[in-house]
Amino acid sequence: MPLTILKYPDPSLSLPSEPVTEVTPELRQLAAEMADAMYRAEGIGLAAPQVGRRVRLIVVDVTGPEERKGRMVLINPRLTPVEDEGRVESEEGCLSVHEYRSKVKRYAKVRLEAQDLDGNAVDMEAEGLLSVCLQHEVDHLDGKLFIDHISRLKRTLYDGRVKKWLRESREPRL
Ligand code: K1U
Ligand code: ZN
């Protein structure tokens, strides 16, 4: 069965994830199923806590679900901003945040350090959509959603919409 992507306000999306200590067959299987879930949902990234697994594992493919040519599976990813490149405003959505998009300020360029599934070290710089996507996914590993970066007013308005959807889904049909 395909993995289910948890939706805000599921409380487990706000919890930090634990480092991966060993690449097991189960971890490989999880990475493959996460990639499948990401492509099915037409996303460009997915983090393990979004599927209920609190481990520091992400998959990204900014070529998108049609191309599927840039899949990266990243274990224990760490990001360091390349400070002199400044910040950018990115328009973001999230597979765990229903019907909402907003602009978020992100570092324009980041250095990525991680391991891949074969135990190789990954050390590279990322910019553009990949940089933004990596920052979004690593936030998930720290229990943060992109809506944690928006203004208090925008957040209150969005939370109101979510509460209404939840009330309506619980109301008995007449
Ligand atoms: O982690 C996730 O919820 C996946 C999310 C990642 C993301 C989107 C936009 C900016 C940064 C990170 C998505 O993939 S949502 C789908 C989406 O917004 C998108 C899809 C294709 C191209 C660009 C954005
Ligand atoms: Zn997300």
Side-chain angles (χ1 to χ4, degrees), residues 5 38 41-47 50 59-65 90-97 100-102 106 129-137 140 145-146:
I5 299 177
M38 172 183 75
E42 303 198 340
I44 54 169
L46 193 67
Q50 292 180 274
V59 294
V60 299
D61 187 348
V62 294
T63 69
S90 63
E91 168 89 8
E92 295 190 24
C94 178
L95 300 177
S96 295
V97 176
Y100 193 71
R101 296 185 73 82
S102 184
R106 300 286 190 186
L129 186 57
L130 180 58
S131 167
V132 168
C133 186
L134 288 168
Q135 291 171 72
H136 180 114
E137 300 312 329
H140 276 300
L145 297 172
F146 83 100

Side-chain angles (χ1 to χ4, degrees), residues 122-174:
V122 178
D123 189 343
M124 59 178 279
E125 287 191 337
E127 53 194 329
L129 186 57
L130 180 58
S131 167
V132 168
C133 186
L134 288 168
Q135 291 171 72
H136 180 114
E137 300 312 329
V138 171
D139 264 1
H140 276 300
L141 302 183
D142 295 329
K144 239 186 261 171
L145 297 172
F146 83 100
I147 52 174
D148 296 328
H149 294 285
I150 64 180
S151 72
R152 190 178 288 251
L153 174 63
K154 281 185 178 172
R155 179 62 178 266
T156 303
L157 291 172
Y158 182 65
D159 282 346
R161 283 169 63 191
V162 172
K163 282 187 190 129
K164 186 163 177 282
W165 287 327
L166 291 173
R167 263 198 319 274
E168 285 166 355
S169 70
R170 281 198 209 111
E171 275 169 13
R173 285 183 197 283
L174 297 176

Side-chain angles (χ1 to χ4, degrees), residues 7 15 18 27 57 105 109 122 128 130 142 165:
K7 296 283 189 294
L15 300 173
E18 297 294 327
L27 193 85
L57 170 70
K105 273 221 171 99
K109 195 169 180 180
V122 178
L130 180 58
D142 295 329
W165 287 327

Side-chain angles (χ1 to χ4, degrees), residues 79-123:
L79 300 179
T80 316
V82 179
E83 293 281 0
D84 51 356
E85 294 287 329
R87 304 204 185 208
V88 287
E89 258 198 340
S90 63
E91 168 89 8
E92 295 190 24
C94 178
L95 300 177
S96 295
V97 176
H98 187 56
E99 280 188 16
Y100 193 71
R101 296 185 73 82
S102 184
K103 289 204 166 116
V104 176
K105 273 221 171 99
R106 300 286 190 186
Y107 292 105
K109 195 169 180 180
V110 291
R111 177 180 178 191
L112 163 70
E113 293 168 278
Q115 281 85 50
D116 68 17
L117 282 175
D118 299 318
N120 300 313
V122 178
D123 189 343

